[in-house]
Amino acid sequence: MADPASAPRPVPALLDSAAAEFITSGISINAAGARPGTVPSMARATGCRVAADARSVALLFASTPAAALLDDIRRSGAIAVVFSQPSTHRTLQLKGDDARIVPPAAGDAALAAAYVKIFTDGLTRLGYPGEVLRAVLAHDPGDLVAVEFTPLAAFSQTPGPGAGEPLVRA
């Protein structure tokens, strides 16, 4: 029997197909968590999947460098994620309060490897050293975990006049 707390919430999807494509396109993904009385934690994700119905998002993390974030998620379920395209600064923020750590799905190790290549290639074209980027994103595939959550709020965070505007549900 499935744990009702781990089942996706019956909320309308926040992400349309363009937003889902954007957040899974190999751009920068930084996630933050917190719990009362502590300093917020942050970690860089190494990939992203969006459920077929766009009602949930899964982020991939190397569990060792993301240990503080994962601990905050276990304790609070709160998560805020920023997806940003370095070449344009186009940025989308998602927030949720039901984040949970789950084993990676079949294909997630390949998804993470592809993410590292796409993200590194994009920043290398902007003049950043690829070897440094690969070192920052290096991970053991056996160390991968997924964090799934239901996006309850989404905001455009692209610098400019529309920054902070909420996205309308799909």
Side-chain angles (χ1 to χ4, degrees):
M1 178 178 214
D3 176 1
S6 67
R9 291 182 183 173
V11 296
L14 265 177
L15 301 173
D16 61 17
S17 60
E21 183 177 335
F22 177 69
I23 69 172
T24 59
S25 66
I27 59 177
S28 176
I29 308 170
N30 288 298
R35 53 193 152 108
T38 65
V39 175
S41 56
M42 193 203 95
R44 181 173 287 282
T46 57
C48 174
R49 296 186 265 111
V50 176
D53 65 4
R55 289 191 169 100
S56 66
V57 171
L59 304 172
L60 303 176
F61 293 95
S63 63
T64 301
L69 172 67
L70 298 174
D71 188 45
D72 282 346
I73 287 170
R74 276 187 204 95
R75 294 170 187 254
S76 74
I79 190 166
V81 187
V82 175
F83 302 87
S84 185
Q85 185 173 35
S87 62
T88 65
H89 302 294
R90 177 182 174 201
T91 303
L92 176 68
Q93 180 186 42
L94 301 178
K95 294 183 177 184
D97 66 1
D98 67 344
R100 59 215 169 269
I101 301 160
V102 299
D108 278 351
L111 178 66
Y115 170 85
V116 170
K117 178 169 181 12
I118 293 167
F119 182 67
T120 300
D121 288 351
L123 285 178
T124 301
R125 283 191 295 276
L126 296 175
Y128 293 93
E131 62 275 9
V132 172
L133 300 166
R134 283 185 287 281
V136 168
L137 296 171
H139 62 275
D140 176 345
D143 195 36
L144 278 179
V145 296
V147 172
E148 293 181 352
F149 70 100
T150 306
L152 297 178
F155 304 90
S156 169
Q157 295 294 2
T158 303
E165 293 289 324
L167 295 187
V168 178
R169 289 200 180 271

